[in-house]
Amino acid sequence: MNNANKLKALLILGITVGAVVSLWAQHPGTPRVVRITGTRFSYPLLQSCIDSFAIHYPDIQVIIEQRSSTDPDYDILIDGKLPNDLKQPVAGGPISIALFPVLPIANAGSSFAKFYSQTGVKRELISTIYFHNPFADRKRAVKPKAPFTVYTRLQAAPAAQVFAAHYGFKQADISGKQVAGSDEHQVKAVLRDTAAISYAPLALIYNPTSRRVREGLAILPVDADDNGKLSDQERIYDTVDDVIRYFEQHAGNSASIPAGALVLNVKDGPVSPDTFVFIQWMLQHIEKNLHDFGFVATQTLPQQRDSFLNSIISLHKQ
Amino acid sequence: MSTLVRAFAAAMLLQLSLPAAAQQQLEGIVRDSDGTALPGATVAIPGTGNYTVTAPSGAFTLSSKQPVPYTLSVRLVGYKPVQVEVYEVTDPLEITLHSDGFLSEVTVTARRRSESERDIPIPITVVGGVRAEDAGAFNVNRLKEMVPSVQLYSSNPRNTTLNIRGLGSTFGLTNDGIDPGVGFYVDGVYYARPAATTLDFIDVERIEILRGPQGTLFGKNTTAGAFNITTRKPSFTPSGTFELSFGNLGFVQAKSSVTGPLNKIMAARFSFTGTQRDGTLYNVARDEYVNDMNNLGVRGQLLIAPKENIEITLAADASRQRPNGYAQVVAGVVTTQRPAYRQFNAIVEDLNYQLPSLDPFDRKIDHDTPWRSDQDLGGVSLNVEWQLGRGTLTSTSAWRYWNWNPSNDRDFTGLQALALSQAPSKHYQWSQEVRYSGTLNQRMNVVGGIYLLDQSLKTDPYHTEESGADQWRFSQSNTSDLWQTPGLLDGYGIRTFSTLDAFGAAAFGQLDWSIGEKFHLMPGVRLNYDRKQVDYDRQTYGGLDTDDPQLIAIKESVYSGQSFTTDVSKTTFSGQVTLSFKESSRLNAFATYATNYKPVGVNLGGLPTSGGQPMLALAEVKPEYVQHAEVGVKTVPVAGATADLTVFNTSIKDYQTLVLNSQLGVNRGYLANAESVRVTGVELEGSWRLEKRLDVRANITWVDGRYVEFKEAPSPLEDTGGEPFKDISGEVLPGISKWAGSLSAELSSNATHMLGLEGNLFFAADVYYRSSFSSSPTPSPYLMVDGYELVNARAGFRTTRGLSIFVWTRNAFSKNYFEQLLVAAGNAGHYAGVLGDPRTFGITSRYNF
């Protein structure tokens, strides 16, 4: 797309937005609220977007509605998806706004962490210790060198689905103790058990301020390039920025770090003008906040964003 | 009936008055990996006694005041258990259980820690409380039909023998001076008197039957095995069960159990059971049916959980039995080697008497002395479990009582021969066990403890054996006319005043050492001390008051006074070692060698005399020395099935046995040691679950038990009058069927609705078989009980919450069989039988909430 075409597209988009906003003019006195919900580990990221948005649009209140296994009333849904789920775009369907790597972790005090934070955990070992696999070849199973207890989510959870899918399983195949609660609770459970191992998105593994792994947790290094060895180049876990940098540098061929797509979607039916405004604003500005909260920039193209926004408008017109 | 109804109503009122504090509801559903609902899964908050069971739809509701986070445990046989760490509950939990490929997750505490039955290298059979209740197995005698390795013989509660693999207690009449070899434990409390095994179970969660010596795990008397009964615990989730059964023979049984929280840290459970049934024998002389049931039992438990790591349970129970029963019927007459005039038929002909029937299965008697087997048994216990370090420290303190007030007609006839045979007794025991079970490191688990038991058994106020007007003819040992002296023996008897004070102490421990990935070595030791003190004083009374030396001699040949005291003590050291190889969850093989001692015994039924003096050397009965070896394998041959095989050999030196004696003065028997015996056997136990709707369980045992050496055994009944002793080395031990087996199958429907309730339709049948066995310490062809088979069945509609109703029958084909044969006092030649129950049938309704 050359510059002229870009300008043309932006002009059309601007006119369209203006028209839509005028169509959905608010009645005086009506609260202008946008409700957003979704996977909880994205809330800090969303809140940062909301705070920035509020500076520019003080009349629109954006509220995060906490999500459980059933969705609350919402305008915008931020969910986690497997990368493969986005290969066939659906009109009005979700748009990827970030990627979230998911890494195996352990209680830092565990003998498992002490051993495997040095040697790393390869695909075969992960398949053996994390997953219930009745068809596994027991003779070829890798014997862990230290005791462990796996913690996983009881309810369907994007991080769990991503982690399981990366190794060829489903979330239900993950063995071990199940946590009824959120991903944050899962990490808390790991911190409480000195034999615990689990998995978590970067957003919950690293301290967003210090940029280092949260106290009490240890990352179990994975064979990031899947070559059967753990080289020094793959020891990328000192800070969250190191991980993000590695991930973004190896985008497209970093197949052995589980990662899911954080996607944005809207509820079925009419979309309010304020919702539209917030979505548009967020799509344009979220990228600069991603690294702060442990997310990786997605490869979403501007045309995909435009297409998504247009589809929202068309949904309204229906 | 009125007593039962009143007691049941009182129990219900008491239970319904339990306050139900406001609770948070935890809801969810349990499914398998295919999404199929799983009914019957146990959902529990470990350490709180708070649990529930999923409904046929897989749904569950559990109330909890537990602050988050807490652990939720979900278990179901055939599935891997799941633990859920509950941090937040906003929606119903959806829990998925994965099949384990075999029926492994029967959790037992036999090794003093919760673990899978499949993982422990001990031959063990586990019967769940609900399964036992459904099968009508509300006491040990009925339960034995589900566990062929168990034998129970009871001619009345005091004279009850509980054996495993044919070993445990003396066969026949009980002598209180020795200990049982099968430990009977309820919630960790050892019940010293075998009479406890005749009581109705009260609110039982499960029954673990451990075969073989368990001295390094249990505090007391487990040389042959252990009955480890766990009752249902108080729960912080309000729930309850009410059950009412009616059947033929006037059978009425009521059971109830209610549990709930009292406050944040206390929960309680009250349980009640009452059973009444008409008699199964008709006494033509007294125009009444005897051998009825009249049992009541209550249990109350208070659970206090002041902290996460401490659990205190205070329990009290009381059982009362007032049966008009335990009568035996003359089963046959043997011609002995005594002169013709001393044969039973000649005696009764002289007395112008006829038995009411020569066929014992006519179930007719004419006993003139009323039968009575009143007993009260109960106690209190305090159990403290403290999670300490990497294990649990357990303290169990208990005090128990047993009041026994019997009346027997031990001549088994309508004649006034042995007119009174009564041994009222009072027994008290207190016990203290302190045990630690925990992990030393990643490769070592340990169980260790100390155990103290103090017992006091005394006559209340005395035991009585009294002759009636016809006794002279049974006792007549020569043709002298003096025997016919009017009133010579009428009312002549003995009163025995005795006390037994027993103290036992033991230190025991077992290590479980994991060697490599697959091997476990489990050495264990036991140091045991036992002391028994007896004060025995037997006095004659009544009969003809005479100075005639010849008449006095006759009287003294029947009964004589006797006094002795004895004080025996023994310290023994024993141990065992087990090596197990657990190749996978599908194969667990083990080999065990164990030694053990059954405590020193004392003769508490009188001593045989020599030259008119008691043979004091026979007062002490040496400890049994048990050497036991076994190899076993627990396997999963195909998915959903288990097959376990055990081969064992137990050798016992100084086997404690009852020696029958024709002297009335030793109450027909005294204790002695046989030189050695051996029991060898093979046990095959399996289960199979097909498509979650058909459950099959099967047990087969082959046991060969023999006296290796017993040169001076008492002669059998038919040899009475000949040589008093007989070498029975190589002969079979009593009470052991060479073959025994059981087969149970239950077919249940998918979840279905009836009367607005969700549940399963089911049909179940049990078949039990045992081959013939000797019913006499010294084998006699006349005292062989024929083999028999029993069929029990039931069918109905069952829910886990709500109303269940089913019909049942026991001994469906009304098989006539003897449970035991006993020689009548004085060895006149007749013997009696304990008859098995005829066919019974009825209906049971159960309501759970």
Side-chain angles (χ1 to χ4, degrees), chain A residues 40 68-70 132 147 154 172 177-180 185 189 192, chain B residues 69 80 83-88 90-91 93-94 98 442:
Chain A
R40 288 199 216 175
S68 60
S69 58
T70 54
H132 167 78
L154 172 67
K177 291 187 177 181
Q178 303 179 8
V179 175
H185 293 132
R192 283 163 55 95
Chain B
K80 289 185 175 179
Q83 285 192 319
V84 177
E85 300 295 312
V86 180
Y87 279 78
E88 181 183 77
T90 53
D91 303 292
L93 304 180
E94 297 192 14
H98 292 279
Q442 289 176 13

PDB file of all heavy atoms in Angstrom, chain A residues 40 68-70 132 147 154 172 177-180 185 189 192, chain B residues 69 80 83-88 90-91 93-94 98 442:
ATOM      1  N   ARG A  40      -8.346 -12.782  32.657  1.00  0.00           N
ATOM      2  CA  ARG A  40      -7.993 -11.853  33.723  1.00  0.00           C
ATOM      3  C   ARG A  40      -6.551 -11.369  33.664  1.00  0.00           C
ATOM      4  O   ARG A  40      -6.240 -10.290  34.132  1.00  0.00           O
ATOM      5  CB  ARG A  40      -8.246 -12.515  35.076  1.00  0.00           C
ATOM      6  CG  ARG A  40      -9.711 -12.652  35.373  1.00  0.00           C
ATOM      7  CD  ARG A  40      -9.903 -12.853  36.851  1.00  0.00           C
ATOM      8  NE  ARG A  40     -10.996 -13.762  37.107  1.00  0.00           N
ATOM      9  CZ  ARG A  40     -11.313 -14.191  38.305  1.00  0.00           C
ATOM     10  NH1 ARG A  40     -10.611 -13.831  39.345  1.00  0.00           N
ATOM     11  NH2 ARG A  40     -12.336 -15.010  38.472  1.00  0.00           N
ATOM     12  N   SER A  68     -16.040 -14.747  34.909  1.00  0.00           N
ATOM     13  CA  SER A  68     -15.877 -16.087  35.470  1.00  0.00           C
ATOM     14  C   SER A  68     -16.097 -17.058  34.321  1.00  0.00           C
ATOM     15  O   SER A  68     -15.894 -16.706  33.167  1.00  0.00           O
ATOM     16  CB  SER A  68     -16.884 -16.304  36.600  1.00  0.00           C
ATOM     17  OG  SER A  68     -18.199 -16.178  36.107  1.00  0.00           O
ATOM     18  N   SER A  69     -16.497 -18.284  34.646  1.00  0.00           N
ATOM     19  CA  SER A  69     -16.690 -19.224  33.536  1.00  0.00           C
ATOM     20  C   SER A  69     -17.928 -18.865  32.717  1.00  0.00           C
ATOM     21  O   SER A  69     -18.124 -19.358  31.621  1.00  0.00           O
ATOM     22  CB  SER A  69     -16.792 -20.659  34.050  1.00  0.00           C
ATOM     23  OG  SER A  69     -17.846 -20.760  34.960  1.00  0.00           O
ATOM     24  N   THR A  70     -18.774 -18.011  33.272  1.00  0.00           N
ATOM     25  CA  THR A  70     -19.863 -17.450  32.468  1.00  0.00           C
ATOM     26  C   THR A  70     -19.578 -15.962  32.288  1.00  0.00           C
ATOM     27  O   THR A  70     -19.056 -15.314  33.178  1.00  0.00           O
ATOM     28  CB  THR A  70     -21.214 -17.637  33.172  1.00  0.00           C
ATOM     29  OG1 THR A  70     -21.116 -17.101  34.484  1.00  0.00           O
ATOM     30  CG2 THR A  70     -21.598 -19.099  33.241  1.00  0.00           C
ATOM     31  N   HIS A 132      -1.728 -36.237  31.066  1.00  0.00           N
ATOM     32  CA  HIS A 132      -2.294 -37.575  31.195  1.00  0.00           C
ATOM     33  C   HIS A 132      -2.384 -38.160  29.794  1.00  0.00           C
ATOM     34  O   HIS A 132      -3.122 -37.662  28.954  1.00  0.00           O
ATOM     35  CB  HIS A 132      -3.684 -37.480  31.823  1.00  0.00           C
ATOM     36  CG  HIS A 132      -4.480 -38.729  31.736  1.00  0.00           C
ATOM     37  ND1 HIS A 132      -4.271 -39.801  32.563  1.00  0.00           N
ATOM     38  CD2 HIS A 132      -5.477 -39.082  30.906  1.00  0.00           C
ATOM     39  CE1 HIS A 132      -5.121 -40.762  32.259  1.00  0.00           C
ATOM     40  NE2 HIS A 132      -5.863 -40.356  31.257  1.00  0.00           N
ATOM     41  N   PRO A 147      10.995 -34.799  42.557  1.00  0.00           N
ATOM     42  CA  PRO A 147       9.540 -34.892  42.779  1.00  0.00           C
ATOM     43  C   PRO A 147       8.838 -33.592  42.383  1.00  0.00           C
ATOM     44  O   PRO A 147       9.442 -32.516  42.418  1.00  0.00           O
ATOM     45  CB  PRO A 147       9.427 -35.135  44.277  1.00  0.00           C
ATOM     46  CG  PRO A 147      10.690 -34.599  44.847  1.00  0.00           C
ATOM     47  CD  PRO A 147      11.744 -34.791  43.806  1.00  0.00           C
ATOM     48  N   LEU A 154      -8.758 -25.577  36.708  1.00  0.00           N
ATOM     49  CA  LEU A 154      -9.941 -26.425  36.612  1.00  0.00           C
ATOM     50  C   LEU A 154     -10.834 -25.952  35.468  1.00  0.00           C
ATOM     51  O   LEU A 154     -11.254 -26.748  34.627  1.00  0.00           O
ATOM     52  CB  LEU A 154     -10.719 -26.386  37.937  1.00  0.00           C
ATOM     53  CG  LEU A 154     -12.087 -27.068  37.925  1.00  0.00           C
ATOM     54  CD1 LEU A 154     -11.926 -28.575  37.741  1.00  0.00           C
ATOM     55  CD2 LEU A 154     -12.848 -26.788  39.213  1.00  0.00           C
ATOM     56  N   ALA A 172      -7.824 -30.541  29.139  1.00  0.00           N
ATOM     57  CA  ALA A 172      -8.312 -31.618  30.004  1.00  0.00           C
ATOM     58  C   ALA A 172      -7.281 -32.711  30.202  1.00  0.00           C
ATOM     59  O   ALA A 172      -7.400 -33.522  31.129  1.00  0.00           O
ATOM     60  CB  ALA A 172      -9.584 -32.213  29.413  1.00  0.00           C
ATOM     61  N   LYS A 177      -3.003 -31.308  40.280  1.00  0.00           N
ATOM     62  CA  LYS A 177      -3.999 -30.596  41.082  1.00  0.00           C
ATOM     63  C   LYS A 177      -4.600 -29.465  40.254  1.00  0.00           C
ATOM     64  O   LYS A 177      -3.893 -28.779  39.522  1.00  0.00           O
ATOM     65  CB  LYS A 177      -3.359 -30.019  42.348  1.00  0.00           C
ATOM     66  CG  LYS A 177      -2.932 -31.083  43.333  1.00  0.00           C
ATOM     67  CD  LYS A 177      -2.476 -30.453  44.634  1.00  0.00           C
ATOM     68  CE  LYS A 177      -2.122 -31.529  45.656  1.00  0.00           C
ATOM     69  NZ  LYS A 177      -1.697 -30.949  46.940  1.00  0.00           N
ATOM     70  N   GLN A 178      -5.891 -29.300  40.425  1.00  0.00           N
ATOM     71  CA  GLN A 178      -6.582 -28.295  39.635  1.00  0.00           C
ATOM     72  C   GLN A 178      -6.947 -27.106  40.521  1.00  0.00           C
ATOM     73  O   GLN A 178      -7.343 -27.289  41.675  1.00  0.00           O
ATOM     74  CB  GLN A 178      -7.831 -28.904  39.007  1.00  0.00           C
ATOM     75  CG  GLN A 178      -7.480 -30.120  38.140  1.00  0.00           C
ATOM     76  CD  GLN A 178      -8.701 -30.756  37.518  1.00  0.00           C
ATOM     77  OE1 GLN A 178      -9.788 -30.226  37.596  1.00  0.00           O
ATOM     78  NE2 GLN A 178      -8.500 -31.900  36.902  1.00  0.00           N
ATOM     79  N   VAL A 179      -6.842 -25.951  39.967  1.00  0.00           N
ATOM     80  CA  VAL A 179      -7.109 -24.726  40.724  1.00  0.00           C
ATOM     81  C   VAL A 179      -8.439 -24.148  40.272  1.00  0.00           C
ATOM     82  O   VAL A 179      -8.626 -23.868  39.082  1.00  0.00           O
ATOM     83  CB  VAL A 179      -5.979 -23.706  40.525  1.00  0.00           C
ATOM     84  CG1 VAL A 179      -6.336 -22.386  41.212  1.00  0.00           C
ATOM     85  CG2 VAL A 179      -4.673 -24.249  41.071  1.00  0.00           C
ATOM     86  N   ALA A 180      -9.345 -24.030  41.225  1.00  0.00           N
ATOM     87  CA  ALA A 180     -10.604 -23.351  40.945  1.00  0.00           C
ATOM     88  C   ALA A 180     -10.403 -21.887  41.265  1.00  0.00           C
ATOM     89  O   ALA A 180     -10.298 -21.517  42.430  1.00  0.00           O
ATOM     90  CB  ALA A 180     -11.733 -23.954  41.778  1.00  0.00           C
ATOM     91  N   HIS A 185      -4.527 -17.187  40.765  1.00  0.00           N
ATOM     92  CA  HIS A 185      -4.629 -18.175  41.843  1.00  0.00           C
ATOM     93  C   HIS A 185      -3.749 -19.382  41.568  1.00  0.00           C
ATOM     94  O   HIS A 185      -3.194 -19.983  42.490  1.00  0.00           O
ATOM     95  CB  HIS A 185      -6.095 -18.604  42.011  1.00  0.00           C
ATOM     96  CG  HIS A 185      -6.975 -17.515  42.514  1.00  0.00           C
ATOM     97  ND1 HIS A 185      -8.188 -17.201  41.941  1.00  0.00           N
ATOM     98  CD2 HIS A 185      -6.803 -16.623  43.522  1.00  0.00           C
ATOM     99  CE1 HIS A 185      -8.732 -16.191  42.588  1.00  0.00           C
ATOM    100  NE2 HIS A 185      -7.919 -15.815  43.552  1.00  0.00           N
ATOM    101  N   ALA A 189      -0.979 -20.822  44.042  1.00  0.00           N
ATOM    102  CA  ALA A 189      -0.898 -22.222  44.474  1.00  0.00           C
ATOM    103  C   ALA A 189       0.514 -22.754  44.295  1.00  0.00           C
ATOM    104  O   ALA A 189       1.015 -23.515  45.138  1.00  0.00           O
ATOM    105  CB  ALA A 189      -1.898 -23.069  43.687  1.00  0.00           C
ATOM    106  N   ARG A 192       2.676 -21.705  47.084  1.00  0.00           N
ATOM    107  CA  ARG A 192       2.377 -22.336  48.373  1.00  0.00           C
ATOM    108  C   ARG A 192       2.932 -23.738  48.501  1.00  0.00           C
ATOM    109  O   ARG A 192       3.021 -24.277  49.595  1.00  0.00           O
ATOM    110  CB  ARG A 192       0.855 -22.408  48.580  1.00  0.00           C
ATOM    111  CG  ARG A 192       0.223 -21.092  48.980  1.00  0.00           C
ATOM    112  CD  ARG A 192      -1.272 -21.153  48.761  1.00  0.00           C
ATOM    113  NE  ARG A 192      -1.897 -22.279  49.450  1.00  0.00           N
ATOM    114  CZ  ARG A 192      -2.469 -22.205  50.655  1.00  0.00           C
ATOM    115  NH1 ARG A 192      -2.487 -21.053  51.288  1.00  0.00           N
ATOM    116  NH2 ARG A 192      -3.033 -23.250  51.198  1.00  0.00           N
TER     117      ARG A 192
ATOM    118  N   PRO B  69      -7.835 -20.408  50.481  1.00  0.00           N
ATOM    119  CA  PRO B  69      -7.957 -21.596  49.650  1.00  0.00           C
ATOM    120  C   PRO B  69      -8.047 -22.864  50.493  1.00  0.00           C
ATOM    121  O   PRO B  69      -7.504 -22.931  51.569  1.00  0.00           O
ATOM    122  CB  PRO B  69      -6.655 -21.574  48.849  1.00  0.00           C
ATOM    123  CG  PRO B  69      -5.667 -20.933  49.767  1.00  0.00           C
ATOM    124  CD  PRO B  69      -6.440 -19.929  50.562  1.00  0.00           C
ATOM    125  N   LYS B  80      -8.745 -41.903  38.329  1.00  0.00           N
ATOM    126  CA  LYS B  80      -7.688 -41.245  39.074  1.00  0.00           C
ATOM    127  C   LYS B  80      -8.302 -40.152  39.944  1.00  0.00           C
ATOM    128  O   LYS B  80      -9.128 -39.376  39.467  1.00  0.00           O
ATOM    129  CB  LYS B  80      -6.673 -40.625  38.110  1.00  0.00           C
ATOM    130  CG  LYS B  80      -5.827 -41.659  37.383  1.00  0.00           C
ATOM    131  CD  LYS B  80      -4.761 -40.978  36.544  1.00  0.00           C
ATOM    132  CE  LYS B  80      -3.838 -42.014  35.925  1.00  0.00           C
ATOM    133  NZ  LYS B  80      -2.809 -41.404  35.076  1.00  0.00           N
ATOM    134  N   GLN B  83      -7.570 -33.568  42.814  1.00  0.00           N
ATOM    135  CA  GLN B  83      -7.579 -32.585  43.886  1.00  0.00           C
ATOM    136  C   GLN B  83      -7.752 -31.205  43.280  1.00  0.00           C
ATOM    137  O   GLN B  83      -7.054 -30.847  42.327  1.00  0.00           O
ATOM    138  CB  GLN B  83      -6.283 -32.650  44.685  1.00  0.00           C
ATOM    139  CG  GLN B  83      -6.220 -33.849  45.613  1.00  0.00           C
ATOM    140  CD  GLN B  83      -5.076 -33.734  46.589  1.00  0.00           C
ATOM    141  OE1 GLN B  83      -3.995 -33.315  46.228  1.00  0.00           O
ATOM    142  NE2 GLN B  83      -5.313 -34.110  47.834  1.00  0.00           N
ATOM    143  N   VAL B  84      -8.683 -30.480  43.819  1.00  0.00           N
ATOM    144  CA  VAL B  84      -8.943 -29.129  43.335  1.00  0.00           C
ATOM    145  C   VAL B  84      -8.592 -28.148  44.450  1.00  0.00           C
ATOM    146  O   VAL B  84      -9.071 -28.279  45.577  1.00  0.00           O
ATOM    147  CB  VAL B  84     -10.430 -28.964  42.931  1.00  0.00           C
ATOM    148  CG1 VAL B  84     -10.700 -27.524  42.486  1.00  0.00           C
ATOM    149  CG2 VAL B  84     -10.789 -29.944  41.820  1.00  0.00           C
ATOM    150  N   GLU B  85      -7.736 -27.216  44.117  1.00  0.00           N
ATOM    151  CA  GLU B  85      -7.407 -26.150  45.063  1.00  0.00           C
ATOM    152  C   GLU B  85      -8.413 -25.019  44.847  1.00  0.00           C
ATOM    153  O   GLU B  85      -8.402 -24.362  43.805  1.00  0.00           O
ATOM    154  CB  GLU B  85      -5.983 -25.640  44.817  1.00  0.00           C
ATOM    155  CG  GLU B  85      -4.911 -26.701  44.964  1.00  0.00           C
ATOM    156  CD  GLU B  85      -4.803 -27.213  46.383  1.00  0.00           C
ATOM    157  OE1 GLU B  85      -4.748 -26.382  47.304  1.00  0.00           O
ATOM    158  OE2 GLU B  85      -4.800 -28.441  46.578  1.00  0.00           O
ATOM    159  N   VAL B  86      -9.276 -24.855  45.800  1.00  0.00           N
ATOM    160  CA  VAL B  86     -10.360 -23.885  45.630  1.00  0.00           C
ATOM    161  C   VAL B  86      -9.913 -22.515  46.159  1.00  0.00           C
ATOM    162  O   VAL B  86      -9.691 -22.339  47.349  1.00  0.00           O
ATOM    163  CB  VAL B  86     -11.637 -24.345  46.362  1.00  0.00           C
ATOM    164  CG1 VAL B  86     -12.748 -23.323  46.181  1.00  0.00           C
ATOM    165  CG2 VAL B  86     -12.076 -25.705  45.836  1.00  0.00           C
ATOM    166  N   TYR B  87      -9.769 -21.598  45.236  1.00  0.00           N
ATOM    167  CA  TYR B  87      -9.407 -20.217  45.582  1.00  0.00           C
ATOM    168  C   TYR B  87     -10.594 -19.275  45.425  1.00  0.00           C
ATOM    169  O   TYR B  87     -10.681 -18.254  46.078  1.00  0.00           O
ATOM    170  CB  TYR B  87      -8.265 -19.718  44.680  1.00  0.00           C
ATOM    171  CG  TYR B  87      -6.903 -20.168  45.124  1.00  0.00           C
ATOM    172  CD1 TYR B  87      -6.454 -21.459  44.859  1.00  0.00           C
ATOM    173  CD2 TYR B  87      -6.055 -19.310  45.807  1.00  0.00           C
ATOM    174  CE1 TYR B  87      -5.201 -21.882  45.257  1.00  0.00           C
ATOM    175  CE2 TYR B  87      -4.799 -19.716  46.221  1.00  0.00           C
ATOM    176  CZ  TYR B  87      -4.365 -21.002  45.940  1.00  0.00           C
ATOM    177  OH  TYR B  87      -3.131 -21.409  46.354  1.00  0.00           O
ATOM    178  N   GLU B  88     -11.464 -19.625  44.514  1.00  0.00           N
ATOM    179  CA  GLU B  88     -12.565 -18.730  44.206  1.00  0.00           C
ATOM    180  C   GLU B  88     -13.684 -19.573  43.623  1.00  0.00           C
ATOM    181  O   GLU B  88     -13.435 -20.433  42.769  1.00  0.00           O
ATOM    182  CB  GLU B  88     -12.093 -17.707  43.180  1.00  0.00           C
ATOM    183  CG  GLU B  88     -13.132 -16.684  42.782  1.00  0.00           C
ATOM    184  CD  GLU B  88     -12.551 -15.768  41.709  1.00  0.00           C
ATOM    185  OE1 GLU B  88     -12.466 -16.193  40.537  1.00  0.00           O
ATOM    186  OE2 GLU B  88     -12.184 -14.645  42.051  1.00  0.00           O
ATOM    187  N   THR B  90     -17.184 -19.027  41.779  1.00  0.00           N
ATOM    188  CA  THR B  90     -18.204 -18.135  41.227  1.00  0.00           C
ATOM    189  C   THR B  90     -19.260 -18.909  40.463  1.00  0.00           C
ATOM    190  O   THR B  90     -20.380 -18.459  40.308  1.00  0.00           O
ATOM    191  CB  THR B  90     -17.568 -17.112  40.281  1.00  0.00           C
ATOM    192  OG1 THR B  90     -16.797 -17.816  39.301  1.00  0.00           O
ATOM    193  CG2 THR B  90     -16.668 -16.152  41.042  1.00  0.00           C
ATOM    194  N   ASP B  91     -18.889 -20.073  39.984  1.00  0.00           N
ATOM    195  CA  ASP B  91     -19.804 -20.882  39.183  1.00  0.00           C
ATOM    196  C   ASP B  91     -19.660 -22.337  39.605  1.00  0.00           C
ATOM    197  O   ASP B  91     -18.688 -22.705  40.251  1.00  0.00           O
ATOM    198  CB  ASP B  91     -19.449 -20.767  37.693  1.00  0.00           C
ATOM    199  CG  ASP B  91     -19.476 -19.321  37.228  1.00  0.00           C
ATOM    200  OD1 ASP B  91     -20.568 -18.738  37.177  1.00  0.00           O
ATOM    201  OD2 ASP B  91     -18.384 -18.789  36.970  1.00  0.00           O
ATOM    202  N   LEU B  93     -18.509 -25.951  39.756  1.00  0.00           N
ATOM    203  CA  LEU B  93     -17.250 -26.542  39.304  1.00  0.00           C
ATOM    204  C   LEU B  93     -17.547 -27.699  38.350  1.00  0.00           C
ATOM    205  O   LEU B  93     -18.437 -28.507  38.614  1.00  0.00           O
ATOM    206  CB  LEU B  93     -16.451 -27.064  40.498  1.00  0.00           C
ATOM    207  CG  LEU B  93     -16.150 -26.060  41.605  1.00  0.00           C
ATOM    208  CD1 LEU B  93     -15.359 -26.733  42.721  1.00  0.00           C
ATOM    209  CD2 LEU B  93     -15.369 -24.884  41.041  1.00  0.00           C
ATOM    210  N   GLU B  94     -16.819 -27.757  37.287  1.00  0.00           N
ATOM    211  CA  GLU B  94     -16.963 -28.884  36.361  1.00  0.00           C
ATOM    212  C   GLU B  94     -15.678 -29.690  36.447  1.00  0.00           C
ATOM    213  O   GLU B  94     -14.622 -29.234  36.022  1.00  0.00           O
ATOM    214  CB  GLU B  94     -17.224 -28.374  34.946  1.00  0.00           C
ATOM    215  CG  GLU B  94     -18.529 -27.602  34.850  1.00  0.00           C
ATOM    216  CD  GLU B  94     -18.943 -27.357  33.414  1.00  0.00           C
ATOM    217  OE1 GLU B  94     -18.369 -27.992  32.519  1.00  0.00           O
ATOM    218  OE2 GLU B  94     -19.834 -26.528  33.205  1.00  0.00           O
ATOM    219  N   HIS B  98     -10.368 -38.907  35.062  1.00  0.00           N
ATOM    220  CA  HIS B  98      -9.835 -39.792  34.026  1.00  0.00           C
ATOM    221  C   HIS B  98      -9.813 -41.219  34.553  1.00  0.00           C
ATOM    222  O   HIS B  98      -9.405 -41.458  35.696  1.00  0.00           O
ATOM    223  CB  HIS B  98      -8.420 -39.373  33.640  1.00  0.00           C
ATOM    224  CG  HIS B  98      -8.364 -38.058  32.922  1.00  0.00           C
ATOM    225  ND1 HIS B  98      -8.633 -37.927  31.587  1.00  0.00           N
ATOM    226  CD2 HIS B  98      -8.096 -36.805  33.370  1.00  0.00           C
ATOM    227  CE1 HIS B  98      -8.515 -36.655  31.231  1.00  0.00           C
ATOM    228  NE2 HIS B  98      -8.194 -35.951  32.294  1.00  0.00           N
ATOM    229  N   GLN B 442      12.469 -38.373  50.855  1.00  0.00           N
ATOM    230  CA  GLN B 442      11.772 -38.731  49.620  1.00  0.00           C
ATOM    231  C   GLN B 442      11.649 -40.232  49.438  1.00  0.00           C
ATOM    232  O   GLN B 442      10.824 -40.704  48.666  1.00  0.00           O
ATOM    233  CB  GLN B 442      12.505 -38.133  48.426  1.00  0.00           C
ATOM    234  CG  GLN B 442      12.362 -36.633  48.343  1.00  0.00           C
ATOM    235  CD  GLN B 442      13.169 -36.054  47.200  1.00  0.00           C
ATOM    236  OE1 GLN B 442      13.628 -36.792  46.339  1.00  0.00           O
ATOM    237  NE2 GLN B 442      13.335 -34.751  47.207  1.00  0.00           N
TER     238      GLN B 442
END
